[in-house]
Amino acid sequence: LAKTTQPISMDSYEGQEVNITCSHNNIATNDYITWYQQFPSQGPRFIIQGYKTKVTNEVASLFIPADRKSSTLSLPRVSLSDTAVYYCLVGDIRGQNTNAGKSTFGDGTTLTVKP
Amino acid sequence: DADVTQTPRNRITKTGKRIMLECSQTKGHDRMYWYRQDPGLGLRLIYYSFDVKDINKGEISDGYSVSRQAQAKFSLSLESAIPNQTALYFCATSDPSSGRGTGELFFGEGSRLTVL
């Protein structure tokens, strides 16, 4: 299983762009990189997923270099409501064999957005 | 109504008691998961199931057992609860072929278990 490493915490101010990096040195060929957001006492919620290069959706962008050993979640113009824990999840989550279930969550990055 | 429902939401019990946490889903997904979260830490996989006849151990299955009674139901049991099983437990579902095709995990609201 690919182990992930993220910064424990980050601070930002409203309106700034935030970049959170995740290291996953032993990512496997079939692994995807997925980011989740979690608010206190709630289950995590999907933000974005990618395999390589850049992916963008309505809330975030995900940058993945060619060697895929790291990824960066970019949140444009954060607001107070973006204060949460962000998790990088690496695994063959789309796969059809049962190993696809063994995706690993890291300990997450606590993002605090200040006014 | 929530797509993934966990019961109970909160439970306090004593060491040695048997506890069952239940999860039901209306998403029609084949894959279901049980995770455990300790304060300040990430989620760790306990068990997962890809269909009714398929049960797989995750990272931390010791001390836990599961039952997949139907496609929509996946229960987690602690046969003899101990204090270090005090944690927040999450059930999740996924289906790689549906929606965005990402294998996105859909989580319940969590079950907070305290073992005294």
Side-chain angles (χ1 to χ4, degrees):
Chain A
L1 297 176
K3 178 177 171 55
T4 61
T5 304
Q6 303 173 231
I8 294 173
S9 63
M10 296 180 69
D11 290 342
S12 183
Y13 290 93
E14 283 190 291
Q16 289 187 334
E17 178 185 74
V18 171
N19 296 308
I20 306 173
T21 297
C22 179
S23 297
H24 29 81
N25 290 322
N26 58 340
I27 188 169
T29 301
N30 293 332
D31 288 347
Y32 282 78
I33 301 154
T34 312
W35 284 80
Y36 287 81
Q37 176 191 56
Q38 185 181 29
F39 297 111
S41 298
Q42 294 184 22
R45 185 176 64 178
F46 176 96
I47 302 174
I48 196 167
Q49 184 184 82
Y51 184 81
K52 61 181 179 180
T53 64
K54 177 184 176 182
V55 179
T56 297
N57 63 20
E58 63 276 11
V59 297
S61 294
L62 179 60
F63 299 91
I64 305 168
D67 66 6
R68 303 202 326 122
K69 293 185 177 182
S70 66
S71 57
T72 299
L73 174 71
S74 181
L75 304 172
R77 297 180 298 281
V78 295
S79 65
L80 297 176
S81 63
D82 292 317
T83 293
V85 180
Y86 292 83
Y87 292 99
C88 161
L89 178 68
V90 175
D92 183 17
I93 197 69
R94 299 191 189 186
Q96 297 303 313
N97 66 52
T98 54
N99 281 332
K102 293 184 178 179
S103 298
T104 304
F105 280 90
D107 288 337
T109 297
T110 299
L111 172 65
T112 302
V113 180
K114 303 175 181 178
Chain B
D1 289 341
D3 293 324
V4 183
T5 303
Q6 295 183 228
T7 55
R9 295 291 313 281
N10 289 284
R11 181 74 184 269
I12 300 173
T13 190
K14 295 181 179 180
T15 297
K17 295 292 187 181
R18 183 177 188 275
I19 295 297
M20 178 179 287
L21 305 179
E22 298 184 336
C23 178
S24 62
Q25 53 117 345
T26 58
K27 299 191 75 66
H29 289 171
D30 286 329
R31 301 183 181 187
M32 298 188 73
Y33 309 76
W34 275 104
Y35 288 91
R36 166 181 172 158
Q37 186 172 38
D38 293 286
L41 299 179
L43 285 78
R44 291 183 290 169
L45 183 63
I46 306 172
Y47 273 97
Y48 62 103
S49 169
F50 274 20
D51 64 41
V52 175
K53 298 180 181 180
D54 176 77
I55 302 290
N56 303 281
K57 293 182 177 181
E59 303 171 71
I60 55 165
S61 59
D62 288 348
Y64 301 94
S65 62
V66 291
S67 174
R68 184 81 183 268
Q69 302 94 325
Q71 186 206 36
K73 296 185 182 298
F74 193 35
S75 300
L76 176 71
S77 294
L78 288 69
E79 296 301 326
S80 180
I82 56 177
N84 75 3
Q85 291 178 312
T86 293
L88 184 57
Y89 290 85
F90 286 103
C91 174
T93 75
S94 74
D95 182 352
S97 63
S98 71
R100 291 180 277 205
T102 62
E104 174 183 351
L105 293 164
F106 294 87
F107 285 85
E109 296 180 344
S111 296
R112 188 171 298 279
L113 176 65
T114 302
V115 183
L116 302 176

